[in-house]
Amino acid sequence: MWTLVLSLFLATSEAGVPDNMTLTGLNGDKIAAKEFEGKAILFVNVASRCGYTSQYEGLQSLYEQYKDKGLVIVGVPCNQFGGQEPGTATEIQTFCKANYGVTFPLLEKQDVNGKNRSKLYQSLVSSDKGGGKNVRWNFEKFLVDTDGNVVGRYGSGVKPNSTELKTAIDAALR
């Protein structure tokens, strides 16, 4: 599976990401943590049967616009909101590629709330910007700066091409 030792990148994170945290990707590829060093990351819990699913298009556009500047978008499929991500890893990957041309990394399906909340989301939610509050719906976004600090949390209604998000990304890349 695609394993990323996030601690090398987020060791200084205010989110308190554990040193032994690993992320498993949807497609089975392995990516070395060094590929994320010095980059900003936008984590987005995603779903293929949601009213916000069309945000995949905006996320892909944002990724293409900013990837050479140091932004990585990471999609995190989640089925906790109305069962709107019921697919298998293969179905999710196929859907995202065929319908929205997604090329940014997708992680394995995981819980973002509750007793089975993933370690990643435990860290994001418990950060100062996360505020300890549950994720409210699909396509909520957490922005991590190049130093590994969670610097922003954005609700589902904040579109990927919004001035608010782009301004925050520009600041996170400095």
Side-chain angles (χ1 to χ4, degrees), residues 29-126:
D29 288 349
K30 291 184 179 187
I31 297 176
K34 66 181 179 182
E35 293 186 35
F36 290 90
E37 287 180 22
K39 295 187 184 271
I41 303 175
L42 184 66
F43 289 102
V44 185
N45 64 302
V46 295
S48 60
R49 296 183 182 174
C50 175
Y52 293 107
T53 300
S54 63
Q55 284 193 21
Y56 269 124
E57 183 176 352
L59 290 169
Q60 180 60 34
S61 177
L62 193 67
Y63 181 60
E64 290 170 7
Q65 179 182 356
Y66 282 94
K67 68 181 178 182
D68 291 337
K69 297 176 184 176
L71 177 70
V72 177
I73 295 176
V74 177
V76 185
C78 177
N79 196 39
Q80 288 189 290
F81 304 103
Q84 295 179 347
E85 188 54 274
T88 65
T90 301
E91 290 168 339
I92 294 167
Q93 187 76 45
T94 301
F95 173 85
C96 291
K97 184 70 174 167
N99 292 294
Y100 298 102
V102 169
T103 60
F104 55 82
L106 296 168
L107 299 181
E108 68 182 341
K109 194 185 302 186
Q110 54 192 267
D111 286 352
V112 299
N113 289 330
K115 66 179 182 170
N116 295 321
R117 178 183 280 157
S118 69
K119 287 183 181 179
L120 170 63
Y121 272 83
Q122 287 174 25
S123 297
L124 295 171
V125 168
S126 68

Side-chain angles (χ1 to χ4, degrees), residues 4-34:
L4 168 65
V5 181
L6 193 59
S7 64
L8 293 176
F9 173 63
L10 296 179
T12 62
S13 174
E14 69 182 59
V17 177
D19 288 342
N20 62 352
M21 179 182 289
T22 58
L23 299 178
T24 303
L26 191 61
N27 62 6
D29 288 349
K30 291 184 179 187
I31 297 176
K34 66 181 179 182

Side-chain angles (χ1 to χ4, degrees), residues 107-160:
L107 299 181
E108 68 182 341
K109 194 185 302 186
Q110 54 192 267
D111 286 352
V112 299
N113 289 330
K115 66 179 182 170
N116 295 321
R117 178 183 280 157
S118 69
K119 287 183 181 179
L120 170 63
Y121 272 83
Q122 287 174 25
S123 297
L124 295 171
V125 168
S126 68
S127 70
D128 286 346
K129 292 294 183 178
K133 297 178 183 174
N134 279 340
V135 173
R136 293 180 64 191
W137 201 254
N138 299 311
F139 290 88
E140 190 161 319
K141 301 152 193 78
F142 287 86
L143 181 61
V144 177
D145 70 10
T146 58
D147 293 323
N149 300 304
V150 179
V151 294
R153 181 175 181 171
Y154 306 90
S156 305
V158 176
K159 295 180 180 180

